Every structure is written in C-alpha cells, then in structure tokens.
Amino acid sequence: MKVQLNDFSMAYEDTGRGHPILFIHGYPLGRRIFDAQLRGLLGVARVIVPDLRGHGDSSAPASGYSIAQYADDCLALLDSRSVTEPVVLCGLSMGGYVCFDILRRHADRVAGLVLLGSRASADTPEQRAARDADAELVRGEGVAPIVEKMLPRLLTPAGQNKPKVVELVRRTMEMTSVAGMVGDLGAMRDRPDSRPDLPRLGKPTIVIHGREDPLIPLSEAEATARAVPGGDLKVIDAAGHLAGVEQPTAVNQAITAFYKKVWAH
Ligand code: MLT
C-alpha cells in the first residue's frame, strides 16, 4: 500500500489486529527486511512497516533525509492510518536512532521500545568521516559497492552461506535509491548521542541483539539495556546484525513476549 505524505509517497504494510507495533528499518534496507516479523506476529498484533523515504517502494524526494524527518514521516503514517493509541516501536539499527527521536519529541505516541541491533551512542569522528567517504562512493558509483561492502557486516558467516537469506538482504539493499543511501549516511552521521536519555526513557524497553553482530558490538547493547531502568536484554545466538532475518523464531518470540508484557495491564 502507498500513501502520499508531505513531499513523498510512502510504501507500507499494515496488517493484523490488536495494539500496533511499528517497525522501522535500518540502513541501507527497507521494509522487506521485516518479512519474517510480519509473518510471525500476524496473529499477535497489528503490524505496521513502512519503507522510509528513498527506500524500497517509497519514492525518493531530493531532500528531507534526517533522523528527525524519518521520525516525522513514521508518525505521519500512523496519523494517516488513524492510529491514535501509543504503539510499540521496534527500531532496527538506524531505525532505533529514529525511535530515540520519536521518544524525545513524542513520547506520548510510544507504549514500549524494542531496540533491535541498535545503539544509543553517536558516531565518533572517525565514523563520521567514514560516512562521508561512503556517501561520496554512492554518489560516484551508485549503491552497488555499498551492497557488497555491507553484506558481510550484516550476516554471520553461516548466514552468508544461505542463498535465500543473502538474496533477501541483497535485494532489499538494492531497492534503496542513491538519495536514500546518501541521505541515511548524513542522517546517521549527524544523529545525537541518545545515552543521556536512557535513564529517563520511562517506557518498557527490550534490547535484542545478535551475539555475533560485527557492526554494533554486543557490549553496546548490554550498556544500553543496563542504562534503561528495568531494561531487558535478549541476546540471540547464531545471529549477526540482522538477527530477525537469521533467527526469526527467537526474535519473534522475544518481541511477542515483550509486547504481551507491555499490554498485560
Ligand atoms: C544500520 O544497520 O542501520 C546501520 O548500519 C547502523 C549504523 O551504521 O550506525
């Protein structure tokens, strides 16, 4: 499905019944990366999954690529779907950075937070420089070099040997536009440090992280979970950065248990 929001057309899924969960994908991905969560949570919740601007089947406007704009786009989608109740946010990696922004500015829209393969810290100066170098590469050569570079960072060696897994991840990345990829890189480079927010997040929170994540070390996830009062940590064995793709059953179980706890009272 698609909806015209401000300056672009946003593609999304909205399926299932119950209190909503909003999934926000990471870089340089799209909504398809949550296919297994969509299937696994169908009988549990109303699942809403957008393609951010410049990604997947959404259109790619020339501007508006920032974490705050991604957050506004997601909330505009909820408005367009008449979702007024607070939702469980599930942010994958960069999607987690978007969740922190929503929590800072619109905490009333949030019932709970699932951080999937994400972190609260900002980029280091070295990481910022690497974002700029990657953006130059994408501007010059298109998205293909980043797709090749990211694959081994997203999956475990075992995952990289599973053709269906590789195909899904590769295809999802290839659907990202140049504007979307360059936009993500600038958005991530400029994101603030969300660690000061953690002690006063005030929402039920679970941090779900692949034990073998080469992109964001498990220690970051452990620190995040520790800093949120009452924060839970679920470590997923035999999973890299995309635990929901490599170990969908374990991830879906963790999300389902968390969701039920949020709405238990
Ligand atoms: C992501 O998976 O969204 C990004 O790779 C995270 C990052 O680079 O900080």
Side-chain angles (χ1 to χ4, degrees):
M1 286 182 282
K2 285 194 179 181
V3 61
Q4 186 66 31
L5 298 177
N6 311 319
D7 58 341
F8 83 114
S9 154
M10 182 178 245
Y12 66 95
E13 311 287 341
D14 180 358
T15 186
R17 296 158 79 106
H19 300 292
I21 304 187
L22 175 69
F23 283 89
I24 308 176
H25 65 76
Y27 161 84
L29 299 163
R31 74 184 199 279
R32 294 282 316 278
I33 212 64
F34 293 123
D35 276 1
Q37 280 62 60
L38 204 75
R39 280 195 302 273
L41 296 171
L42 208 53
V44 176
R46 176 176 177 185
V47 182
I48 303 175
V49 197
D51 279 327
L52 296 174
R53 58 176 61 219
H55 300 72
D57 296 310
S58 288
S59 65
S63 60
Y65 296 89
S66 68
I67 297 296
Q69 185 60 54
Y70 292 165
D72 287 346
D73 292 343
C74 289
L75 294 180
L77 173 66
L78 293 183
D79 292 342
S80 80
R81 304 303 298 156
S82 304
V83 175
T84 50
E85 66 170 308
V87 303
V88 169
L89 290 178
C90 181
L92 166 61
S93 203
M94 179 184 75
Y97 313 157
V98 177
C99 292
F100 285 127
D101 187 79
I102 294 176
L103 277 159
R104 267 192 292 277
R105 295 187 294 128
H106 301 281
D108 56 314
R109 312 271 326 237
V110 184
L113 174 66
V114 181
L115 280 178
L116 196 51
S118 193
R119 62 181 147 201
S121 57
D123 274 5
T124 62
E126 294 73 27
Q127 286 166 334
R128 289 197 181 106
R131 304 280 194 205
D132 289 338
D134 280 351
E136 264 319 294
L137 185 64
V138 178
R139 281 194 200 93
E141 297 180 31
V143 304
I146 296 290
V147 172
E148 294 314 316
K149 188 171 159 177
M150 288 300 285
L151 260 177
R153 296 188 185 179
L154 297 176
L155 298 168
T156 60
Q160 290 170 53
N161 279 321
K162 292 188 181 148
K164 277 192 180 154
V165 167
V166 171
E167 177 55 26
L168 170 73
V169 177
R170 180 188 290 281
R171 180 84 196 103
T172 306
M173 288 196 282
E174 283 170 350
M175 287 180 75
T176 306
S177 64
V178 166
M181 245 186 224
V182 171
D184 287 349
L185 287 160
M188 292 190 291
R189 176 198 60 204
D190 296 339
R191 76 184 189 281
D193 185 354
S194 295
R195 286 174 299 182
D197 299 334
L198 298 177
R200 47 189 155 83
L201 222 45
K203 304 287 176 187
T205 298
I206 185 168
V207 176
I208 303 175
H209 212 86
R211 191 180 291 285
E212 298 172 43
D213 189 338
L215 199 70
I216 298 180
L218 180 57
S219 55
E220 285 245 24
E222 289 167 342
T224 304
R226 261 199 314 272
V228 179
D232 256 351
L233 174 68
K234 176 76 186 167
V235 180
I236 307 293
D237 288 327
H241 192 54
L242 301 180
V245 173
E246 289 201 68
Q247 301 299 339
T249 306
V251 168
N252 292 350
Q253 276 170 359
I255 296 174
T256 301
F258 174 76
Y259 171 89
K260 289 187 171 161
K261 215 163 83 184
V262 167
W263 293 114
H265 39 82

